[in-house]
Amino acid sequence: MTPTAASLVQSVDWLAIAPPTLAAVVALAVLFADLFVPAGRKQLLGWTAIAGLVASIVLLVPLRAGDRSTFCLTTQPAVCSYTADHFTLVIQFLVLGGALLTALLSLADTKEKLPAGEYWFLLLSSAAGAALLPASRDLATLVVALEVASLPAFALVGLRRGDRRSSEAALKFFLSSVTATAVTLLGVSFVYAATGSLHLTEIAQRLDGVPGQLETLARAGVALTLVGFAFKTAAVPFHFWVPDTYVGAPLPVAGYLSVVGKAVGFTGLILVTVVAFPSYADVWGPALAVLAALTMTVGNVAALRQVSTRAWSAVRLLAWSSVAQAGYLLVPIAAAAYSGNDQIGATVAYALMYAVVNLGAFAVVVLVSRTHPENRLDDYRGLYATRPLTALTMGFFLLNLAGLPPGVIGLFAKVTVFSAAVDAGLGWLAVIMGVNVVIGLYYYLRWTAVLFRAPRAEAERVHARVPAAVTLAIVLAAAVGVVLSGYPQFALRFAANTLF
């Protein structure tokens, strides 16, 4: 074998790539099995998908021993396209755990309303792409992972055949996401033209020495790449697709988009800003700070409008709440431009809290929707009288989102994000965040109060059997939320450690 041929042969670290690979393999297996499984036993496909997600999460455990990289160039120093480090494992755990809770919430729908084989294939494919993204260390792999996570999501949103709202939501989601992808690819091409590399660490090194005539091209590439990821994170003014998409999508899919979809966008944003573009912090730092302020303010004000009438939709309120929460998640990334990468841990800690309690809230909404499909304000009135444990659990989730005790982890996560802004010298952003937290208290507490009011005398008490999988999803989310509130250091230690 010649030296040139030998340099083209690379060993693959199969353990490092095992979690997303297993999810993708199970997705294909479920799609193939759907051809042979009889209609009455389609739920076996769902349990197979759940088992695959559990196995993918278990495969994260041996990776804790140390950083592992693969698909590396034979250069000195070596640069790799896939790295399973501390940051990667935390985000993969969040993504695969979110997909697991979504799968539990979806079992009943795939039995009654949705085509099982297609649904599980799309969900697992999207989860595989989302799990690949945090390990991506070059722009090509990053964009591919982003699209593998996004493309199945379009179909998931529009999978309710014959439902006009679902079709409209899928179309709006598709058009906005395709636009974001086009902008991202344009930005990536500009960055490649200016630096001659797609690997994030090499880009960071070469941007420092970009010739003067390429400086404008490099800055334009950085700005366009940020705009593309701002679409994915639902940052204002690129948030317009969120409310209608969440309302039109199947409820478990809406919960999936609010957590896993958002994690995908923020992970990509962290990688391109902190790892690839640190020398252009003067471009993306102020831009993200302004986006954070706009996003949390618009999201909270729009959520206030939702509770101004008794006919507000719970799903639409959670949609606007997720926009506001995206603003809080942007704060530490913006702060990293001013005070270093240590601030990124605050975003990770906040994302862990948000993922658990937001999916838990969606789980309760799924339960209520079985008897009240419209999910209006009055549908939650007196829930404590009919389902006391469910009402207490929902109240706990909402208080976490508001940042109030006994939602200790929600409170601590907000304090961590607030501290990141103060430490970075962004006092004005910390003040805006404080005002928005107070605004958020109104609609979160109003919804919580409704749960414990006396039910209307004329209201019919409709009882429906709650699927065991939905109950299990609520219990899991509540248990993790309680553990994090009792031991917040488990999540907040990420805010104290350098992830890059």
Side-chain angles (χ1 to χ4, degrees), residues 23-339:
V25 169
V26 175
L28 292 173
V30 168
L31 185 64
F32 181 75
D34 183 50
L35 299 173
F36 305 99
V37 175
R41 309 193 67 181
K42 292 294 186 183
Q43 274 207 315
L44 289 175
L45 302 177
W47 288 111
T48 302
I50 290 171
L53 289 169
V54 171
S56 297
I57 294 172
V58 171
L59 286 174
L60 296 175
V61 176
L63 296 176
R64 296 178 58 200
D67 296 353
R68 305 173 75 106
S69 297
T70 189
F71 304 115
C72 303
L73 296 180
T74 55
T75 58
Q76 294 298 330
V79 290
C80 303
S81 295
Y82 187 103
T83 299
D85 55 13
H86 189 48
F87 173 78
T88 298
L89 297 186
V90 173
I91 301 300
Q92 286 183 337
F93 176 76
L94 187 158
V95 165
L96 294 171
L100 176 60
L101 286 179
T102 303
L104 290 172
L105 294 176
S106 305
L107 276 175
D109 281 351
T110 54
K111 182 180 179 181
E112 302 166 1
K113 305 173 185 176
L114 301 174
E118 294 94 323
Y119 183 88
W120 296 117
F121 168 74
L122 292 168
L123 179 64
L124 286 169
S125 298
S126 179
L132 171 63
L133 192 139
S136 304
R137 292 299 181 270
D138 69 65
L139 291 177
T141 307
L142 191 65
V143 171
V144 169
L146 188 65
E147 291 311 297
V148 172
S150 301
L151 288 174
F154 305 150
L156 285 171
V157 171
L159 204 56
R160 288 193 301 206
R161 298 165 183 169
D163 188 320
R164 181 178 177 181
R165 286 197 307 179
S166 181
S167 300
E168 290 178 354
L171 180 61
K172 181 173 287 190
F173 184 30
F174 172 76
L175 292 175
S176 62
S177 189
V178 166
T179 303
T181 301
V183 173
T184 302
L185 288 174
L186 183 60
V188 167
S189 66
F190 284 0
V191 171
Y192 178 73
T195 63
S197 177
L198 289 175
H199 287 85
L200 303 184
T201 52
E202 284 193 339
I203 290 172
Q205 295 170 3
R206 297 182 185 183
L207 280 177
D208 282 332
V210 171
Q213 61 268 29
L214 294 178
E215 177 79 13
T216 302
L217 184 66
R219 287 182 175 271
V222 171
L224 289 173
T225 304
L226 293 181
V227 169
F229 281 104
F231 269 97
K232 301 294 185 180
T233 58
V236 173
F238 315 110
H239 67 291
F240 52 85
W241 57 272
V242 173
D244 290 341
T245 299
Y246 284 21
V247 170
L251 284 176
V253 175
Y256 177 82
L257 292 176
S258 73
V259 171
V260 177
K262 195 174 268 44
V264 165
F266 278 99
T267 301
L269 195 62
I270 289 171
L271 289 174
V272 297
T273 54
V274 173
V275 180
F277 305 149
S279 57
Y280 281 70
D282 60 323
V283 175
W284 56 263
L288 291 183
V290 172
L291 283 180
L294 287 175
T295 302
M296 64 179 73
T297 302
V298 171
N300 279 317
V301 170
L304 281 180
R305 293 180 59 192
Q306 293 300 311
V307 298
S308 63
T309 172
R310 283 172 45 191
W312 60 261
S313 164
V315 179
R316 192 173 288 275
L317 178 61
L318 284 175
W320 284 114
S321 165
S322 75
V323 173
Q325 298 290 342
Y328 304 142
L329 286 163
L330 281 170
V331 171
I333 306 176
Y338 299 89
S339 55

Side-chain angles (χ1 to χ4, degrees), residues 109 113 251-252 315 362-375 379-380 464:
D109 281 351
K113 305 173 185 176
L251 284 176
V315 179
F362 266 102
V364 175
V365 170
V366 168
L367 187 152
V368 173
S369 70
R370 297 189 66 82
T371 52
H372 302 87
E374 294 299 318
N375 260 301
D379 298 336
Y380 290 82

Side-chain angles (χ1 to χ4, degrees), residues 339-433:
S339 55
N341 298 349
D342 291 351
Q343 306 295 352
I344 294 301
T347 288
V348 175
Y350 197 95
L352 287 172
M353 178 282 299
Y354 170 76
V356 172
V357 299
N358 205 64
L359 269 176
F362 266 102
V364 175
V365 170
V366 168
L367 187 152
V368 173
S369 70
R370 297 189 66 82
T371 52
H372 302 87
E374 294 299 318
N375 260 301
R376 302 297 186 184
L377 174 61
D378 282 352
D379 298 336
Y380 290 82
R381 180 164 184 165
L383 184 63
Y384 182 75
T386 56
R387 299 184 184 275
L389 290 178
T390 302
L392 288 172
T393 304
M394 185 62 166
F396 174 70
F397 293 142
L398 294 174
L399 290 176
N400 267 293
L401 290 171
L404 289 176
V408 174
I409 186 59
L411 173 63
F412 280 15
K414 279 189 168 56
V415 170
T416 302
V417 171
F418 186 87
S419 299
V422 173
D423 293 343
L426 297 174
W428 64 271
L429 184 56
V431 171
I432 292 176
M433 179 181 172

